[in-house]
Amino acid sequence: MLGGDQVRVNVTVAAGCALELEDIGGTVAYDGEGLPASWHVDIELGTGATLRWAGLPFVIADGADVTRTLHLKLADDSRATIRETLVLGRHGERGGRVVNVAQVTRAGHPELVESLELRGGSGVPGITGDHRVLDTVMEFPAANARSATDNAPTANGIAPATHTILELEAGGRIQRWLGAELHRSPLQQVAAEAG
């Protein structure tokens, strides 16, 4: 993405149907030279419909200014599992600015309303700190109960990585991991097993 770019993705899954989306590559938002860019996704699921979307990383390069929005409209008995990965900066960069907004409703009632602003090089205590990767898996509704201390298994000598699990009152779940390197995220396996 370059400054001034506007991407809009509209997805509709009809009642009783299932759709699995697969990205063909990650996305890089480049220095917009003062011009912002936007990425908007609108999804509507019919009754009993299912969506799985394991999105690839969205990289916010130095100088980029991006607004990303997700509007997900769920019908009764529909299910959605979505993975979003934000990376502040390419190798050796601190990253630009991203505003990430998610609004999820079921039958017209809100299940999630969230707005998060991240700026590379100015981590926010209690949000990202000095981490540059924010990996998220959202499930609506949550497939099964998990412990808040779930860990990924040790692999190739890498210590287990913990992640945060937020159980939403309306029955959804958000799992998040913060880190410096995406390959250390335990959410790859979580996304594969969710839904």
Side-chain angles (χ1 to χ4, degrees), residues 22-89:
E22 182 175 329
D23 292 355
I24 59 170
T27 300
V28 178
Y30 293 97
D31 185 342
E33 299 180 353
L35 294 175
S38 61
W39 179 279
H40 301 288
V41 176
D42 291 298
I43 302 171
E44 187 165 354
L45 302 184
T47 301
T50 302
L51 171 71
R52 291 180 55 84
W53 189 353
L56 293 178
F58 192 98
V59 179
I60 301 94
D62 283 357
D65 183 358
V66 181
T67 299
R68 286 174 38 102
T69 60
L70 167 68
H71 294 120
L72 172 60
K73 296 178 184 175
L74 300 162
D76 291 331
D77 299 327
S78 61
R79 304 182 63 82
T81 300
I82 300 173
R83 182 180 185 194
E84 290 186 335
T85 305
L86 301 176
V87 180
L88 292 170

Side-chain angles (χ1 to χ4, degrees), residues 135-137 139 146-153 160-166 173-178 184-191:
D135 200 7
T136 304
V137 174
E139 299 173 79
R146 295 181 188 265
S147 163
T149 58
D150 279 357
N151 290 331
T162 59
H163 61 281
T164 301
I165 300 173
L166 306 169
R173 175 185 299 125
I174 299 174
Q175 299 188 61
R176 286 219 164 109
W177 178 82
L178 290 168
R184 295 185 182 269
S185 173
L187 295 189
Q188 178 70 31
Q189 176 142 358
V190 168

Side-chain angles (χ1 to χ4, degrees), residues 60 62 88-89 94-98 118-123:
I60 301 94
D62 283 357
L88 292 170
R94 300 180 77 172
R97 174 183 177 268
V98 61
L118 304 175
R119 292 176 184 266
S122 59

